[in-house]
Amino acid sequence: MQFNDIIGHEEVKAHLLHTAKDNRVSHAQLFLGPEGSGSLALAVAYAQYINCENKQELDSCGVCSSCKKYQKLIHPDLHFSYPFFAKGKDEVAVTYLEEWRKAFLGNPYMGLDFWRQNLDAENKQANINIAEAHDIIKKLSLKAFEAEYKVLIMWLPEFLDVQGNALLKLIEEPPAKTLFLLVAENQDRILNTIISRTQLVKVSKLDHEKVKQYLISDFNVDAQRANEIAFIADGNIQAAIDLLDEEANPYFDVLIQWLRFVVTDSGLNIIRFCEEDFPKLGRENQKNFLLYAINMLRQIILIQQGLQQLVLLQGQELDFVRKFSENFTGDQLEMAIDMLEKTHYKVERNANPKILFLDLSLQLVLIFKYQTFPQGTQYI
């Protein structure tokens, strides 16, 4: 993986290049970026550059022995750790190394659900277990085989839990020329003792135009469809790839129908929608739908503020946000966005979707129909 293969993030790439050129490579770094942003790919490209035998000005050479092994993820001094769905307490990440290589090389922007699909996960919970922590310590205690640096890339350290304490001493005082690159999506779920021992590399979500151009160039998607998918994906390449399988926008009609019931306080229809339609979507589509709804409301606010040049919508979606902007205030929209974001947070944590969406719908009825803003601890 070379920097040139990764979409956008020019400032992050420049920063990483400078640390290597100036010999200021921190032994423990935390790449923090949302799902589908390319943070994992950046970590791999950074490690490849550091161990490249013929570094170029802006990238690794891609042709030396080290680069060729890195590009196949088979370099003996490159190690990976990641959540997996253990079938036994003694299993470690290397048990699933072939599946990992196949998944990453096929989709370097992958999310956890894509990784789950590459394994026989059944109903097991993803985890980085204590056996994996001990295996990391064992691997990194050995001398490098051929590279200047031994590299461990840990994807989603959020799943490390308390067993991560076994790695603290190794992270703080690693053997010489050992590099830890942690790639995370949610800083709040990482052990503070680990965060305090790492240098932060912030990776932002990709902008709309970058995702759109990626879909056009790599998947031959027409410009209008690419624009539609990029808007729904909101900077998440994994979500954009998932949406390629959909024949049309799967969320627009659902959003219109749901909001129609909400703004008219159609109680029976709201209950039916929350008991039947929303649960059918599945957790990932529920999350994507909520993000889509949030983005649509944000587009309405842009129109209300006279910033039409920043609106990313076309066709029916553009007509909808224009009409909606005429009937509701900015305060109503901002409160609704806040409610949607809280619901998205709870969906991520596997809360009951029927209860969640019914509660959300009733709160939106108060906001849009009766202009009553919920207050108090009962809404936290």
Side-chain angles (χ1 to χ4, degrees):
M1 177 63 66
Q2 292 179 282
F3 287 124
N4 189 50
D5 299 324
I6 302 169
I7 308 165
H9 303 306
E10 302 308 324
E11 291 184 4
V12 177
K13 293 175 185 176
H15 164 73
L16 295 174
L17 287 167
H18 282 305
T19 63
K21 291 175 183 177
D22 298 341
N23 198 26
R24 293 187 293 105
V25 177
S26 177
H27 68 271
Q29 301 181 44
L30 174 62
F31 286 65
L32 182 63
E35 180 186 286
S37 62
S39 49
L40 177 59
L42 282 167
V44 176
Y46 182 45
Q48 179 171 320
Y49 181 82
I50 287 173
N51 280 323
C52 176
E53 298 167 2
N54 184 26
K55 296 180 180 65
Q56 305 299 299
E57 181 64 23
L58 299 176
D59 215 336
S60 53
C61 71
V63 295
C64 69
S65 174
S66 177
C67 283
K68 287 182 178 179
K69 292 174 183 176
Y70 258 86
Q71 287 169 346
K72 295 179 181 179
L73 306 185
I74 58 173
H75 197 290
D77 295 313
L78 173 64
H79 305 283
F80 288 99
S81 182
Y82 36 79
F84 53 93
F85 309 89
K87 298 174 183 176
K89 64 179 182 179
D90 295 327
E91 284 193 338
V92 293
V94 73
T95 307
Y96 303 97
L97 185 57
E98 286 305 313
E99 292 89 345
W100 169 260
R101 287 171 176 158
K102 181 180 178 182
F104 177 80
L105 294 174
N107 178 15
Y109 299 93
M110 67 179 180
L112 182 62
D113 282 288
F114 178 85
W115 172 229
R116 175 188 284 273
Q117 292 167 17
N118 282 265
L119 298 174
D120 182 17
E122 299 175 352
N123 292 321
K124 297 182 176 68
Q125 292 293 318
N127 190 27
I128 300 177
N129 59 16
I130 190 64
E132 171 65 6
H134 290 158
D135 191 55
I136 289 170
I137 295 170
K138 179 181 177 181
K139 287 187 291 191
L140 296 185
S141 65
L142 304 173
K143 291 183 177 180
F145 284 91
E146 58 185 64
E148 180 182 4
Y149 279 87
K150 287 177 295 181
V151 180
L152 173 78
I153 298 177
M154 178 178 284
W155 183 54
L156 299 182
E158 297 95 315
F159 290 86
L160 197 54
D161 204 22
V162 293
Q163 54 264 40
N165 289 320
L167 299 173
L168 294 181
K169 182 173 177 57
L170 185 63
I171 293 175
E172 189 168 14
E173 298 177 5
K177 299 293 185 179
T178 299
L179 182 60
F180 281 87
L181 301 179
L182 282 66
V183 182
E185 295 174 1
N186 190 337
Q187 184 174 342
D188 295 337
R189 295 175 59 191
I190 306 172
L191 293 171
N192 288 328
T193 48
I194 289 180
I195 294 174
S196 65
R197 289 165 169 79
T198 59
Q199 184 179 83
L200 180 64
V201 178
K202 188 66 181 294
V203 181
S204 302
K205 71 177 183 180
L206 291 163
D207 65 42
H208 175 88
E209 196 61 29
K210 287 283 195 306
V211 177
K212 176 182 174 181
Q213 291 304 319
Y214 172 73
L215 294 172
I216 293 172
S217 61
D218 285 50
F219 293 93
N220 296 317
V221 179
D222 67 80
Q224 182 174 343
R225 178 70 175 137
N227 185 76
E228 186 179 81
I229 292 174
F231 176 77
I232 299 172
D234 191 30
N236 185 339
I237 293 292
Q238 177 65 73
I241 292 172
D242 292 341
L243 287 165
L244 287 173
D245 295 331
E246 302 285 348
E247 293 184 2
N249 182 344
Y251 305 125
F252 179 66
D253 289 338
V254 176
L255 178 65
I256 295 299
Q257 191 173 6
W258 178 51
L259 286 179
R260 185 177 293 121
F261 295 149
V262 165
V263 299
T264 59
D265 190 12
S266 181
L268 292 177
N269 284 317
I270 289 174
I271 292 172
R272 178 189 58 77
F273 222 75
C274 295
E275 290 189 348
E276 299 177 9
D277 294 65
F278 282 130
K280 288 179 184 177
L281 291 176
R283 189 170 66 91
E284 285 306 305
N285 278 324
Q286 288 165 9
K287 288 163 56 181
N288 289 337
F289 170 78
L290 289 167
L291 290 175
Y292 175 71
I294 290 167
N295 287 334
M296 289 290 278
L297 296 187
R298 286 174 176 163
Q299 298 290 295
I300 295 169
I301 291 174
L302 288 176
I303 287 181
Q304 289 183 340
Q305 297 298 319
L307 300 172
Q308 286 87 348
Q309 70 274 16
L310 300 179
V311 175
L312 304 171
L313 301 173
Q314 300 174 354
Q316 288 182 317
E317 291 175 313
L318 182 58
D319 291 339
F320 163 74
V321 298
R322 282 174 173 165
K323 291 176 182 177
F324 207 89
S325 68
E326 297 171 357
N327 296 295
F328 301 97
T329 67
D331 288 341
Q332 288 173 298
L333 294 168
E334 289 177 8
M335 180 60 75
I337 289 172
D338 182 62
M339 296 296 178
L340 288 162
E341 288 175 341
K342 288 179 179 177
T343 304
H344 181 272
Y345 177 87
K346 293 171 184 175
V347 169
E348 281 191 322
R349 280 143 189 81
N350 294 315
N352 186 305
K354 294 181 181 180
I355 297 173
L356 271 183
F357 280 97
L358 181 58
D359 179 60
L360 171 65
S361 300
L362 295 178
Q363 292 183 47
L364 294 182
V365 168
L366 291 175
I367 292 169
F368 289 128
K369 173 69 174 178
Y370 301 105
Q371 300 185 36
T372 301
F373 297 151
Q375 296 178 352
T377 57
Q378 70 269 32
Y379 295 102
I380 296 177

